[in-house]
Amino acid sequence: MIDISEIYFDKTIVLIPQGNIDLRFDTILKRCNIPDMGLCNAVNDIFEINYIIKEGKKMSVKEIFQPNVEFSKSARIKSMAEYQALQDEAINDYEGFWSRFAKEKLDWIEPFTNTMDESNFPFVKWFDGGKLNVSSQCIDRHLDSKANKTAILFEGDRGDTLKITYAELSKNVNKFANLLKNELNVKKGDRVVIYMPMIPEAAYAMLACARIGAIHSIVFGGFSAEALKDRIQDAEAKVVITADGAYRKDKPYMLKPVVDTALSGKTPVEKVLVVKRNNEEIAWLDGRDISYNDIIDNQSDECEAEIMDSEDPLFLLYTSGSTGKPKGVQHNSAGYILWAQMTMEWVFDVKEDDVYWCTADVGWITGHTYIVYGPLAMGATTVMFEGVPTYPDAGRPWKMVQDHKITQFYTAPTAIRVLHKMGEDEPSKYDISTLKVLGTVGEPIDPPAWKWYYESVGQSKCAIVDTYWQTETGGHIVSPLPGATPIKPACATFPLPGIMAEILDPKTGKKVGAGESGYMCITKPWPAMIRGVWGDEDRFVKSYFGDVKKDGKAVYFTGDGAKYDEDGYITITGRTDDVINVSGHRMGTAEVEAAIKKYNNVAEVAVVGKPHEIKGEGIFAYVVLKEEAEAESEMKAINGMIKQEIGSIALCDDIILAPGLPKTRSGKIMRRILRSIAKGEKITQDISTLEDPSIVASIESMVNG
Ligand code: WT7
């Protein structure tokens, strides 16, 4: 145990470790007087505290980093005054603000007649009457001025590169669109599932769908056949676009066999379009499977863009919620593409000659908005990378920055932690001086990772934009502006202009004061907001508009807790629901539980999150078996079931074979207790109301000895 001489929490934390630094978390919390652990999921706080203990030195969480003066001079938003002026414009004339940008930023085939219609809230319409096509926004309108500019800069796992100009992108997408239309009979409104590696054809597929008005639904390549099947069926997809596979760490991996398994049995899918990437042998079903490479060059490179209404759906993207079944988040055309472009311009401040790289996978919303739609809508050069950042070594990203003269780099805290751990000094081995803006997304970033990112990657001159948003928001909602916002480490700072994001007290609907925890809400509809949960209106309304009311009116609730500091800066503290964040990916505990329950010897299961050094949160499962069996093989079987039902991304870090679960007399599982035990905290809360209080002690001793 260490002796803590002084701890202040909230403003400055000072821990003076003396001796062994093995301190129990609950002791720290108590001494730090952290209020309301229920709201404060504490991922951030844990890291802060760990950091202080490890380093044994003082760190003020109030430390402020001013924007780089040179950068600010040419930034789109140059100061907090300019930021405030924009936000005031939105506050004073909300529709006027959005109408101005929609006219300035988008090319309309027919102008819109009504900026926002919220008469049927939460079902809202933006830019009604307007007609446009998203693929034209991303391609056609750049052809006059940027035909020979690189649109997509691809780097393969094995270092192969390919530059695709806007003119080439146009041809490739038009051919792809013709292929979908003429060979696969895809029509406006049809759903197309894309299960692809990170290769340019994935972007062509998205844009080709947009061109003909088909609704794409990308399923991340790490999802299992079962997960893919669920998503195909929920969306009633007619076509699947996939590849034989791709390369990872210099070895081929396969996707097509997963599609084959997903389509065994009854399926709405008529055709599977297969792109060649690794040329490995694959099974072939004549009549269903179509080879992209065999027929793409027969297609005309002109395909007239479908004239779309502003509110025609653009895509679905399935994400986890607090129940077992993933939700098909629906985004529509005009509002989404507008905000994708505006946030690209404001938050990354990409300039004409810049090379911008977002390391996400197109299977997540980050890949949609910030690899494909946002960068291309603004006419930027976007990097697409097939490989993993630590292969062949942890210097790979920095070598890529050097080779391609990358100016903006956008990644997730989990990747930063890995790169830091595996290659602390790697950035200094390369010329990464071209970097101007660094971004992070997906989970709260912890101060040690932030500090390394800022100093070693950003050379203490780049702004770090900690962008807070979600699949449902379409684009960033709370983020620093690199030329304007004085940054506090690990802090998402302020709502972007036009976004009425507020931290509210869920009970009163009033804005919380400095230091108090509350719910991160958005009090007015915004153009890129989720339009629905595919096929489930009720779930849409209940999931997002059921928890918080402001002035008697339901507002959008993100599911995240947050707090303001004394300067009004927003810090996201983590989810308030049964959703955990594993390596920046949202995972519903109910979804993992449902998978585990499929294993026949499982009687009961409860899944919670536990802080994890690299992943942010790890998955911790308490399982009650039906019949006693050998622990090791049961745990293997449970993880095997998860791999089959969801994919490796949901594997448990810990499985405890418990004698029972702590439940109230009405049968509700007390997850709070299970969360505390997983974290190694001592249970101090009243457990006398439990059905069988002795369960807590036995689980506690199993987990924490
Ligand atoms: C959830 C959304 C948004 C793209 C990637 C994940 C968490 C996201 C931050 C951030 C703290 C963050 C939230 C959010 N989150 N960005 N900068 N700071 N938390 O998209 O799968 O829809 O997950 O990720 O909990 O609700 P997603």
Side-chain angles (χ1 to χ4, degrees):
M1 278 300 210
I2 71 164
D3 183 12
I4 302 168
S5 308
E6 257 185 310
I7 301 178
Y8 308 103
F9 193 71
D10 247 345
K11 293 195 177 66
T12 313
I13 311 173
V14 185
L15 273 179
I16 305 172
Q18 292 167 0
N20 185 348
I21 52 168
D22 177 18
L23 184 77
R24 284 187 68 104
F25 184 56
D26 56 330
T27 316
I28 301 176
L29 289 184
K30 224 176 281 155
R31 304 237 188 131
C32 293
N33 198 14
I34 293 181
D36 196 354
M37 274 301 293
L39 280 181
C40 153
N41 192 315
V43 174
N44 234 353
D45 302 330
I46 293 165
F47 278 117
E48 280 171 11
I49 292 161
N50 274 345
Y51 176 61
I52 307 301
I53 295 171
K54 269 196 212 130
E55 305 281 303
K57 68 179 182 194
K58 190 172 157 179
M59 168 155 173
S60 164
V61 289
K62 271 178 74 179
E63 219 170 344
I64 291 188
F65 296 78
Q66 295 299 333
N68 181 319
V69 179
E70 274 312 301
F71 182 88
S72 289
K73 279 186 195 155
S74 60
R76 289 187 176 81
I77 301 177
K78 297 178 174 54
S79 64
M80 283 310 276
E82 286 190 15
Y83 159 76
Q84 200 54 53
L86 279 165
Q87 187 63 320
D88 288 344
E89 181 186 337
I91 290 168
N92 297 330
D93 177 10
Y94 194 61
E95 292 193 36
F97 171 91
W98 286 113
S99 152
R100 163 162 98 87
F101 282 104
K103 285 178 193 156
E104 257 174 45
K105 299 288 174 191
L106 299 180
D107 282 11
W108 294 91
I109 300 170
E110 271 176 44
F112 54 91
T113 46
N114 191 2
T115 302
M116 174 178 77
D117 176 359
E118 55 170 339
S119 56
N120 196 19
F121 183 86
F123 301 90
V124 297
K125 286 187 189 164
W126 281 93
F127 314 120
D128 216 12
K131 301 216 186 284
L132 81 179
N133 179 287
V134 168
S135 90
S136 306
Q137 301 300 306
C138 294
I139 305 169
D140 305 29
R141 61 172 168 159
H142 306 311
L143 291 177
D144 282 344
S145 56
K146 307 182 193 223
N148 297 321
K149 173 174 176 171
T150 301
I152 297 176
L153 198 169
F154 171 72
E155 178 161 322
D157 173 72
R158 296 166 305 163
D160 46 320
T161 59
L162 190 64
K163 286 182 178 172
I164 299 128
T165 64
Y166 273 93
E168 288 162 339
L169 179 66
S170 170
K171 287 194 172 142
N172 294 337
V173 169
N174 278 274
K175 284 197 220 169
F176 208 128
N178 277 324
L179 190 162
L180 292 180
K181 215 157 84 170
N182 303 331
E183 311 274 347
L184 306 183
N185 193 28
V186 178
K187 301 204 162 58
K188 180 177 172 183
D190 285 346
R191 273 79 60 210
V192 172
V193 161
I194 300 177
Y195 188 69
M196 287 279 266
M198 283 291 292
I199 55 176
E201 287 81 358
Y204 306 161
M206 296 163 77
L207 293 161
C209 287
R211 193 151 195 96
I212 62 174
I215 305 168
H216 63 69
S217 170
I218 308 189
V219 178
F220 171 59
F223 277 119
S224 70
E226 213 37 57
L228 174 60
K229 181 187 206 152
D230 288 347
R231 287 159 176 78
I232 287 171
Q233 284 178 339
D234 191 80
E236 294 172 280
K238 179 170 172 181
V239 164
V240 174
I241 305 174
T242 189
D244 44 8
Y247 297 98
R248 187 186 295 130
K249 298 192 184 180
D250 208 17
K251 290 198 182 66
Y253 72 91
M254 302 308 289
L255 289 173
K256 170 70 164 50
V258 185
V259 175
D260 291 335
T261 309
L263 298 184
S264 61
K266 207 173 160 321
T267 171
V269 172
E270 294 164 13
K271 301 280 181 206
V272 177
L273 183 68
V274 187
V275 177
K276 264 196 189 137
R277 168 66 185 154
N278 63 18
N279 295 305
E280 294 290 307
E281 209 170 300
I282 46 175
W284 203 258
L285 190 61
D286 284 329
R288 185 197 69 182
D289 297 348
I290 311 278
S291 166
Y292 168 87
N293 304 72
D294 287 352
I295 56 172
I296 190 66
D297 287 327
N298 307 338
Q299 313 300 319
S300 147
D301 58 16
E302 273 175 47
C303 173
E304 202 163 329
E306 188 78 31
I307 298 173
M308 304 291 283
D309 288 337
S310 291
E311 286 294 340
D312 276 334
L314 178 65
F315 66 81
L316 307 179
L317 183 56
Y318 284 80
T319 188
S320 298
S322 41
T323 62
K325 202 171 160 256
K327 304 179 266 201
V329 171
Q330 181 186 330
H331 280 291
N332 291 358
S333 302
Y336 171 81
I337 197 67
L338 173 65
W339 191 230
Q341 182 180 337
M342 287 171 70
T343 48
M344 262 318 286
E345 293 178 354
W346 282 345
V347 175
F348 298 115
D349 217 327
V350 175
K351 293 286 163 48
E352 190 50 37
D353 296 325
D354 283 355
V355 179
Y356 157 92
W357 180 21
C358 164
T359 68
D361 188 284
V362 289
W364 308 111
I365 190 68
T366 311
H368 285 62
T369 310
Y370 297 112
I371 294 179
V372 179
Y373 287 117
L376 298 178
M378 72 167 293
T381 297
T382 180
V383 174
M384 236 179 138
F385 176 49
E386 176 190 352
V388 292
T390 49
Y391 185 82
D393 56 50
R396 180 72 180 266
W398 323 127
K399 181 172 187 313
M400 281 178 65
V401 168
Q402 171 179 286
D403 290 351
H404 305 305
K405 303 195 168 38
I406 287 164
T407 43
Q408 286 85 359
F409 177 73
Y410 189 29
T411 195
T414 186
I416 299 168
R417 288 192 289 268
V418 171
L419 292 167
H420 180 193
K421 202 169 168 183
M422 292 179 59
E424 185 159 10
D425 302 322
E426 289 295 327
S428 65
K429 297 183 187 160
Y430 299 91
D431 178 4
I432 54 169
S433 59
T434 46
L435 286 171
K436 296 190 279 192
V437 179
L438 302 175
T440 110
V441 59
E443 57 176 311
I445 181 169
D446 45 295
W450 193 95
K451 191 166 177 279
W452 179 76
Y453 202 32
Y454 184 79
E455 288 171 358
S456 299
V457 182
Q459 312 134 77
S460 301
K461 65 161 190 168
C462 297
I464 295 189
V465 288
D466 182 347
T467 63
Y468 167 73
W469 59 299
Q470 7 173 243
T471 304
E472 293 85 345
T473 66
H476 305 146
I477 53 175
V478 179
S479 172
L481 295 163
T485 315
I487 286 169
K488 299 189 188 187
C491 177
T493 73
F494 302 106
L496 288 170
I499 301 294
M500 301 299 139
E502 270 185 311
I503 307 171
L504 301 179
D505 178 328
K507 292 199 189 81
T508 62
K510 296 230 159 32
K511 192 168 166 172
V512 300
E516 292 164 16
S517 294
Y519 281 19
M520 191 73 238
C521 296
I522 308 177
T523 59
K524 266 178 178 298
W526 67 104
M529 85 187 250
I530 174 175
R531 291 302 194 277
V533 170
W534 187 253
D536 200 341
E537 282 195 356
D538 201 43
R539 192 165 177 205
F540 168 63
V541 178
K542 285 203 183 109
S543 308
Y544 304 106
F545 304 92
D547 293 283
V548 190
K549 279 197 168 109
K550 189 190 177 186
D551 302 326
K553 196 186 152 213
V555 296
Y556 176 88
F557 171 44
T558 57
D560 288 301
K563 57 189 177 191
Y564 296 112
D565 72 4
E566 63 279 13
D567 301 320
Y569 278 64
I570 294 171
T571 296
I572 305 296
T573 50
R575 302 287 306 192
T576 63
D577 51 10
D578 288 323
V579 170
I580 51 187
N581 193 322
V582 184
S583 300
H585 302 312
R586 216 195 303 179
M587 197 54 68
T589 52
E591 212 176 320
V592 182
E593 287 167 5
I596 293 176
K597 275 187 201 146
K598 292 220 166 155
Y599 179 53
N600 56 20
N601 196 26
V602 170
E604 280 187 300
V605 54
V607 166
V608 299
K610 173 190 171 176
H612 185 284
E613 206 192 346
I614 297 292
K615 300 193 226 175
E617 274 187 293
I619 302 179
F620 196 111
Y622 297 89
V623 179
V624 183
L625 295 178
K626 281 183 190 153
E627 276 165 37
E628 222 172 286
E630 206 243 324
E632 204 175 312
S633 70
E634 293 304 280
M635 290 183 192
K636 248 201 193 138
I638 288 166
N639 261 333
M641 191 52 88
I642 295 175
K643 200 167 169 188
Q644 178 190 313
E645 293 294 308
I646 305 174
S648 305
I649 43 173
L651 290 181
C652 293
D653 297 277
D654 300 270
I655 300 175
I656 292 293
L657 300 177
L661 298 176
K663 286 187 192 159
T664 60
R665 292 210 175 90
S666 59
K668 194 172 171 285
I669 298 172
M670 295 295 286
R671 281 161 204 285
R672 235 176 122 110
I673 291 178
L674 294 173
R675 268 196 290 269
S676 299
I677 296 175
K679 279 180 193 157
E681 295 165 21
K682 202 130 190 69
I683 302 300
T684 49
Q685 47 200 294
D686 178 21
I687 55 167
S688 61
T689 57
L690 294 187
E691 194 185 41
D692 176 5
S694 72
I695 290 276
V696 174
S698 45
I699 298 181
E700 244 189 323
S701 71
M702 288 179 80
V703 178
N704 298 317

